[in-house]
Amino acid sequence: MTPERAKTEAMWIRTASTDDLETISAMLTETWHDTYDHIYGREKVAELTKAWHSVPALKQRMNKPRTEFIVCDDGAEISGMAYVSQVDNETSMLHQLYVRPSTQGQGIGKKLLIEVEACFPDVRKIRLEVEEANDRAVRFYGENGFRQVGTTPDCGVKGSGIPAVIMEKVIW
């Protein structure tokens, strides 16, 4: 067994708690700067992160009905997170799936995705929006069975101005 595989197997997926929110906020800030600074610039990323990834914003999401907010944890560090909601009887929406830059490529994103797909057993498809310039994420989702079904000029929230592809996967 490779050291990377052993490390990934020592991690588990669990429901996020309010005690995790500071750590999740810091991880999202780090991940967004690593991923998007070269696309939008450091100032724009800091502005978006402050609005979208603050502890109050995360706490608000955590308390919404028909949602799951999960983390990948090895007991010492949270390496990834995902947030998904059930949109209707047959569709769930993956709003966030992020892995700390230092732990990317170790299977954490795949573990989170498998769990997200199982969160709402009655839905038959899962949808997401991904920034079209985020080649690594677009490739990851494509490799995991998602197909592009459309585009949006406003990824995440109306008026964001972030162009995104809409991807979907049939899960049963």
Side-chain angles (χ1 to χ4, degrees), residues 65-70 82-86 92-96 115-117 119-120 126-127:
R66 298 179 2 156
T67 64
E68 292 290 338
F69 197 135
I70 60 175
Y83 174 69
V84 63
S85 66
Q86 185 174 348
S92 61
M93 180 73 174
L94 177 58
H95 300 278
Q96 295 177 288
E115 185 67 23
V116 160
E117 290 174 5
C119 283
F120 303 104
I126 186 167
R127 184 176 296 145

Side-chain angles (χ1 to χ4, degrees), residues 27-65:
M27 184 203 71
L28 286 169
T29 299
E30 174 189 352
T31 304
W32 265 65
H33 280 293
D34 184 72
T35 305
Y36 294 112
D37 278 4
H38 74 282
I39 298 170
Y40 295 111
R42 188 159 184 78
E43 288 179 21
K44 178 69 173 176
V45 172
E47 174 189 320
L48 290 169
T49 297
K50 184 177 179 183
W52 294 356
H53 305 137
S54 67
V55 170
L58 295 171
K59 189 172 187 177
Q60 184 178 29
R61 275 181 229 133
M62 184 178 275
N63 293 324
K64 286 187 176 182

Side-chain angles (χ1 to χ4, degrees), residues 35-148:
T35 305
Y36 294 112
D37 278 4
H38 74 282
I39 298 170
Y40 295 111
R42 188 159 184 78
E43 288 179 21
K44 178 69 173 176
V45 172
E47 174 189 320
L48 290 169
T49 297
K50 184 177 179 183
W52 294 356
H53 305 137
S54 67
V55 170
L58 295 171
K59 189 172 187 177
Q60 184 178 29
R61 275 181 229 133
M62 184 178 275
N63 293 324
K64 286 187 176 182
R66 298 179 2 156
T67 64
E68 292 290 338
F69 197 135
I70 60 175
V71 295
C72 186
D73 187 347
D74 68 1
E77 177 181 66
I78 291 175
S79 300
M81 63 78 63
Y83 174 69
V84 63
S85 66
Q86 185 174 348
V87 177
D88 57 36
N89 289 337
E90 62 177 51
T91 308
S92 61
M93 180 73 174
L94 177 58
H95 300 278
Q96 295 177 288
L97 191 153
Y98 292 100
V99 176
R100 185 180 302 277
S102 62
T103 59
Q104 290 177 2
Q106 297 178 18
I108 294 165
K110 177 76 171 172
K111 280 183 176 253
L112 288 164
L113 190 55
I114 289 168
E115 185 67 23
V116 160
E117 290 174 5
C119 283
F120 303 104
D122 294 335
V123 302
R124 64 176 207 82
K125 61 186 173 183
I126 186 167
R127 184 176 296 145
L128 60 87
E129 297 174 358
V130 60
E131 209 296 354
E132 58 191 12
N134 186 348
D135 296 332
R136 188 172 184 178
V138 171
R139 187 173 48 256
F140 169 78
Y141 291 118
E143 290 169 354
N144 284 282
F146 285 82
R147 300 293 169 248
Q148 183 174 341

Side-chain angles (χ1 to χ4, degrees), residues 16-27:
S17 74
T18 54
D19 291 342
D20 297 321
L21 294 180
E22 288 282 343
T23 302
I24 293 168
S25 177
M27 184 203 71

